[in-house]
Amino acid sequence: MTAAPVLNPLELTGIQELTFAKALTLALHDAMAADPAVVVFGEDVGTLGGVFRVTEGLTATFGSERCFDTPLAESGIVGMATGMAINGIRPVVEMQFDAFAYPAFEQIVSHVAKMGNRTRGHVRLPLVIRIPYGGGIGGVEHHCDSSEGYYAHTPGLTVLTPSNVQDAYVLLSDAIASPDPVVFMEPKKLYFSKATVDLDALRARYASSGERGGARTVPSSIGQAAIVREGSDATLIAYGPSVAPALAAAATAAEEGRSLQVVDVRSLVPFDDETISAAVRSTGRVVVIAEASGFASMASEIAARVQERCFHSLAAPVLRVTGFDVPYPAPKLEKYYLPGVDRILDAVDRLQWGQS
C-alpha cells in the first residue's frame, strides 16, 4: 500500500477553505520554514501529528530534530523548552489537553513567567506553550477544563486565545514571533470548524528579513481585541470558545429587534482596555461570557475593568454568563454547564431596559 503524499502547506495559496486546526498547522509550518530556530515538540506531535492533528506533516517536512515526540512528562517538556529558549531556540510545545498541563504549572509560574524579571530583561524566553482547552467535545475527566484564569493571573505571561480560523493563524504566528513566553489557549471544540481565508493576505503580514531563516518583522496583534459584530443596544464581551455562542445570541436578538454588539477579547494578557471600553461606552450595557466558572475568573476581571473605566457610561450593572462553580462536568452534562444562546439572552433581558 502506497503512503499518501505529505501535503506541503506552501503549495496552498490564494483563497482556501481551512479548518481551525489546519490554520494552526500552517502557522507552525510557515514559522518553521522562516526560522530554523523554531522547533515543535510534545506528546504524540511527531508521527501521529497530535491528538487533534495540528502538527500533522511537520516531522515529515522538517525532520525529527525539529518536530518530535517527548515522554509523557509535562514538567519535563516545559523545563526542557525553558532551557532551549534561554539558549537561542524558539520552542513551541503542546500540552495535549488543558488538565494535562497542571504538572508543568510549577515550571511555568516559577521559571517561565519570572525569567525576564529575574534577569532584568537580559534573558528573554521566546517560548510558546500550546494548550487545547474548554469543552464542547464530550471529553472525559481530565480532558476538558477552562484553565485560562491560572495563566492570566500570572505576571510575566502573554495569554492568547483565537476564536476563528483566521485568528488561529494570525495569533499563533504572533505568539511564535514574540520574544517573551506565550500561553496559547486553543478552544478544542473549534478545531474542525471551517472558514474561507485569503492565505496570501495572511502570509503577507509576515515578511522574512532577507533569505528564509531571517528574523520576521511582525505587526503584532497581541494586545488587540476586535469588534466582530456591530450593535447599539448592548455589548457582549467574549473570548475563545464563547465568541460563537455570543454571535449566535446576537443573531437571534436581531430577529427580535434588539441590536447587540460582540467583542472578541483575543488577547487576555495584555488586555485591550481601549477597544473594549470604547465598545462599552457606545452601548452602556454589558454581558461578559466565558466557559470557565465565574468565581475569581477572567470574566470577573473583565467585569471589574469595565466597571472601573466605564462606570458613568453604564445604564445597568455588568452581568456575567459563565460556567457554574463546580468541577467540570461529565460529557452528558456539558450542555447544562456551557454558556449558550438562551442563558446569554436571559442575561441581556436583565439589563434594566425599563430604567434608562
Side-chain angles (χ1 to χ4, degrees):
M1 182 176 179
T2 303
V6 175
L7 175 65
N8 181 358
L10 286 178
E11 294 175 358
L12 295 177
T13 60
I15 307 298
Q16 295 280 343
E17 183 180 61
L18 296 180
T19 64
F20 188 96
K22 186 55 66 178
L24 295 171
T25 307
L26 289 178
L28 291 168
H29 177 280
D30 291 354
M32 295 175 77
D35 185 353
V38 177
V39 298
V40 174
F41 55 94
E43 298 165 9
D44 297 321
V45 303
T47 303
L48 179 65
V51 170
F52 299 101
R53 302 300 185 266
V54 170
T55 57
E56 191 170 43
L58 296 181
T59 299
T61 302
F62 297 102
S64 58
E65 291 186 353
R66 294 191 61 198
C67 180
F68 55 90
D69 294 329
T70 65
L72 307 183
E74 287 78 10
S75 181
I77 293 169
V78 174
M80 182 169 68
T82 302
M84 294 169 75
I86 289 172
N87 287 280
I89 298 173
R90 305 183 77 90
V92 182
V93 301
E94 179 181 302
M95 293 288 97
Q96 197 169 78
F97 286 96
D98 32 38
F100 289 13
Y102 298 144
F105 195 66
E106 192 278 331
Q107 289 278 4
I108 295 170
V109 171
S110 296
H111 302 291
V112 174
K114 292 181 171 63
M115 188 63 68
N117 182 265
R118 180 181 295 145
T119 63
R120 297 185 178 182
H122 291 292
V123 177
R124 309 286 289 273
L125 293 184
L127 161 64
V128 178
I129 302 170
R130 294 180 42 243
I131 302 178
Y133 84 116
I137 65 166
V140 296
E141 189 176 17
H142 305 311
H143 287 71
C144 285
D145 207 350
S146 294
S147 51
E148 65 271 20
Y150 301 133
Y151 306 107
H153 181 72
T154 304
L157 300 176
T158 293
V159 184
L160 307 177
T161 180
S163 70
N164 58 73
V165 172
Q166 178 163 307
D167 271 359
Y169 182 94
V170 169
L171 289 176
L172 183 54
S173 296
D174 288 348
I176 297 170
S178 172
D180 296 308
V182 178
V183 176
F184 194 81
M185 310 293 293
E186 300 171 6
K188 291 192 290 288
K189 70 180 181 183
L190 297 183
Y191 276 129
F192 301 107
S193 61
K194 294 181 179 180
T196 299
V197 298
D198 185 342
L199 284 179
D200 294 341
L202 285 181
R203 283 173 162 151
R205 290 172 51 92
Y206 305 96
S208 294
S209 300
E211 298 298 320
R212 179 175 295 174
R216 297 185 301 161
T217 302
V218 180
S220 179
S221 58
I222 294 174
Q224 295 182 7
I227 308 296
V228 293
R229 183 184 175 106
E230 298 289 347
S232 56
D233 291 335
T235 299
L236 307 181
I237 302 174
Y239 59 85
S242 297
V243 173
L247 288 169
T252 299
E255 297 173 357
E256 301 170 354
R258 186 166 283 166
S259 176
L260 301 183
Q261 181 184 50
V262 181
V263 182
D264 181 354
V265 176
R266 302 169 83 228
S267 177
L268 303 186
V269 181
F271 191 80
D272 186 356
D273 285 301
E274 182 177 354
T275 297
I276 290 170
S277 295
V280 169
R281 293 188 187 105
S282 72
T283 65
R285 290 180 168 86
V286 188
V287 177
V288 182
I289 306 154
E291 286 190 5
S293 55
F295 187 83
S297 64
M298 190 69 210
S300 302
E301 175 64 20
I302 295 172
R305 299 178 84 87
V306 166
Q307 186 274 338
E308 290 171 353
R309 290 161 176 79
C310 307
F311 180 79
H312 293 290
S313 299
L314 292 174
V318 178
L319 300 182
R320 293 176 296 156
V321 178
T322 68
F324 300 113
D325 293 329
V326 298
Y328 198 90
K332 290 184 179 180
L333 299 177
E334 271 192 329
K335 62 182 178 181
Y336 303 108
Y337 176 87
L338 299 175
V341 170
D342 289 343
R343 287 178 60 198
I344 294 169
L345 293 181
D346 285 347
V348 171
D349 287 341
R350 299 200 309 273
L351 290 173
Q352 300 185 359
W353 296 98
Q355 301 180 34
S356 57

